[in-house]
Amino acid sequence: MRPTIVLLSPSGSHQLALSRLRQAGAYSEDEIFDQLVRGECRFGVDVSGDVLGEFDEEELQEIRQRIGEFQAITIEYSGVSCIRDLLGEVVRGLSGLLDTNYGELVEYGEVLARFQSEPQWDWRLTSGE
């Protein structure tokens, strides 16, 4: 399985993020992961929210305290350069948290700022720093 991230967004931001994802390239629905092809990059997209079953109650409570009630989109990606470009388009101006699946919950605005200040930032290599 390829690496994944989870977009955690309040309802309004969730709907806009989902709309932007579906317009970000060639998007097709599938049984488990929808498919998004954007140039040379391929993504799996799960909008079911089933991933929330993998969070423990403390994590869910922390997320609710930070952003209120929320919904989740899981994105499977092949490389950080691909996901960096996609996130730049999808989460710009939205509220929510990125779960890197490497121990970090990062606000969308902070993710974009970090990509700008550290263009090679890869949360898979820098978690815990």
Side-chain angles (χ1 to χ4, degrees), residues 5 10 32 45-46 52 67 73 92 97 108 111 114 117 129:
I5 58 166
I32 299 174
V45 180
D46 178 12
L52 295 177
I67 64 172
I73 301 171
R92 186 167 313 284
L97 300 169
Y108 292 163
V111 169
R114 189 131 180 218
S117 68
E129 285 186 4

Side-chain angles (χ1 to χ4, degrees), residues 7 9 11-24 27 34 45-48 71-73 90 94:
L7 302 180
S9 309
S11 187
S13 288
H14 174 81
Q15 293 305 320
L16 194 49
L18 186 53
S19 175
R20 289 176 180 177
L21 272 171
R22 290 182 172 150
Q23 296 172 13
Y27 192 96
D34 294 349
V45 180
D46 178 12
V47 299
S48 70
Q71 294 174 283
I73 301 171
V90 171
L94 301 181

Side-chain angles (χ1 to χ4, degrees), residues 53-72:
E54 298 175 21
F55 286 71
D56 64 37
E57 194 52 45
E58 278 183 23
E59 291 171 310
L60 294 171
Q61 189 59 31
E62 176 188 349
I63 296 164
R64 283 187 193 100
Q65 287 175 347
R66 291 176 68 179
I67 64 172
E69 289 303 315
F70 64 94
Q71 294 174 283

Side-chain angles (χ1 to χ4, degrees), residues 26-43:
Y27 192 96
S28 59
E29 294 184 4
D30 210 341
E31 284 185 43
I32 299 174
F33 275 87
D34 294 349
Q35 300 299 308
L36 171 62
V37 179
R38 181 180 163 98
E40 297 295 317
C41 300
R42 295 181 169 277
F43 305 92

Side-chain angles (χ1 to χ4, degrees), residues 65-93:
Q65 287 175 347
R66 291 176 68 179
I67 64 172
E69 289 303 315
F70 64 94
Q71 294 174 283
I73 301 171
T74 303
I75 303 175
E76 183 183 64
Y77 61 97
S78 55
V80 171
S81 63
C82 287
I83 197 67
R84 180 183 305 116
D85 292 342
L86 182 65
L87 287 174
E89 186 173 320
V90 171
V91 304
R92 186 167 313 284

